[in-house]
Amino acid sequence: MPDKDGKLIGVGWSNKGTNFAPGKNGKDRAYAFTAGAGPVRDDQIALDETSAGKGGYKIGDTVRVATNGPVKEYVLSGVFTTEDGAVNAGGSLVLFDASVAQKLYLKPGYFQELTVTAAPGANADKLLDDVLKVVPKAATAQTGQALADRQAEDIEAGLGALNQVLLGFAGIALFVGVFLIANTFTMLVAQRTKELALMRAVGASRKQITRSVLAEAGLVGLVASAVGLVLGIGLALGLRSAMNAFDLKIPAGGLVVGAAPSSPRSPSAS
């Protein structure tokens, strides 16, 4: 989906389309509309608030949308907010009327996912058993808590693999750093042979000279570590700005500096 100048909105891999599924009150609980309403005709769509803002689109504007077929034009009927992870990562989300979405992505009369909202106080396990009785045998069902736990595990697994890669690079950097520091101080001590010999001549003991060299190395290491920490924090902030410049968003929140920050947990689904 392009903006009015023809530039693609969002990151291609995270641009998504789905159906608007209103209840008896005409609203879809998954989306909160800030302007207009959901699509109810074949020629209407709704956009997430960020994408609409990037494209400069307002209610009633014509929007060109490409799916698996030719580019088509739709009328923007509404703008909504969403907690969809792909949108938060810099993608876009287009809502179609249910019949249009089925023709574009599945088959008429077919749905890929169904969300069942439990009444307050309902037993989740009993509700799951009741749902399993009415869905096709090929379909699967799970409680919101089970879904949230699985998503959290998937996120932790993905982050764990990334952590292993980063730890590998950190180990290489540590090895190279230790080698360079040791080699540098070896050369410095060799270059200062006359200075050290003079210190010995005026009465300095071997231990005193050794302690002075170690103290100097410790001071240089402390200063270098502090400078590295500050530069690392600055790099993290700069990386966030750079990613935002390329529409690659990261979850909102303050900068966390720590040895092992807690992993984010996904909210429970109903």
Side-chain angles (χ1 to χ4, degrees):
M1 176 183 61
D3 59 17
K4 292 184 177 181
D5 297 325
K7 182 181 178 182
L8 180 65
I9 298 175
V11 183
W13 62 267
S14 57
N15 293 335
K16 299 170 56 179
T18 187
N19 68 302
F20 175 65
K24 294 181 179 180
N25 59 358
K27 297 181 180 180
D28 188 335
R29 295 185 58 178
Y31 310 102
F33 280 82
T34 58
V40 294
R41 300 200 313 263
D42 290 356
D43 63 342
Q44 291 182 330
I45 62 167
L47 290 177
D48 66 274
E49 190 174 43
T50 302
S51 299
K54 289 180 180 178
Y57 291 118
K58 298 180 181 179
I59 303 302
D61 287 349
T62 299
V63 183
R64 301 174 69 241
V65 179
T67 53
N68 295 328
V71 176
K72 295 183 179 180
E73 294 185 345
Y74 298 88
V75 177
L76 183 62
S77 66
V79 176
F80 59 89
T81 59
T82 177
E83 295 299 326
D84 188 283
V87 176
N88 292 334
S92 62
L93 180 61
V94 180
L95 294 185
F96 299 93
D97 179 69
S99 60
V100 175
Q102 289 173 335
K103 293 176 183 178
L104 292 174
Y105 299 108
L106 297 172
K107 295 180 180 179
Y110 282 77
F111 291 91
Q112 186 175 14
E113 293 181 359
L114 294 174
T115 300
V116 179
T117 303
N123 185 285
D125 293 331
K126 183 179 184 305
L127 179 60
L128 178 61
D129 292 337
D130 294 337
V131 170
L132 288 172
K133 294 177 182 178
V134 297
V135 297
K137 293 183 178 180
T140 60
Q142 57 186 331
T143 64
Q145 186 60 51
L147 176 62
D149 292 342
R150 182 174 61 82
Q151 290 176 337
E153 291 174 357
D154 292 341
I155 292 174
E156 290 178 358
L159 292 178
L162 178 61
N163 286 339
Q164 294 300 322
V165 174
L166 294 178
L167 285 175
F169 282 112
I172 295 174
L174 179 61
F175 173 78
V176 174
V178 170
F179 177 79
L180 290 177
I181 291 172
N183 188 49
T184 299
F185 272 94
T186 298
M187 290 188 296
L188 289 176
V189 171
Q191 292 174 355
R192 295 165 59 185
T193 301
K194 293 182 179 180
E195 177 184 340
L196 298 177
L198 180 60
M199 293 176 63
R200 286 282 286 167
V202 297
S205 65
R206 181 184 295 272
K207 291 184 178 179
Q208 288 176 327
I209 293 177
T210 301
R211 283 198 295 265
S212 67
V213 173
L214 292 177
E216 181 181 353
L219 181 60
V220 171
L222 181 62
V223 173
S225 298
V227 172
L229 177 62
V230 173
L231 290 178
I233 294 174
L235 180 61
L237 295 175
L239 183 60
R240 169 176 289 189
S241 299
M243 292 178 68
N244 289 337
F246 288 95
D247 288 333
L248 298 172
K249 297 183 179 179
I250 57 178
L255 180 67
V256 178
V257 179
S262 59
S263 300
R265 302 291 294 184
S266 299
S268 297
S270 299

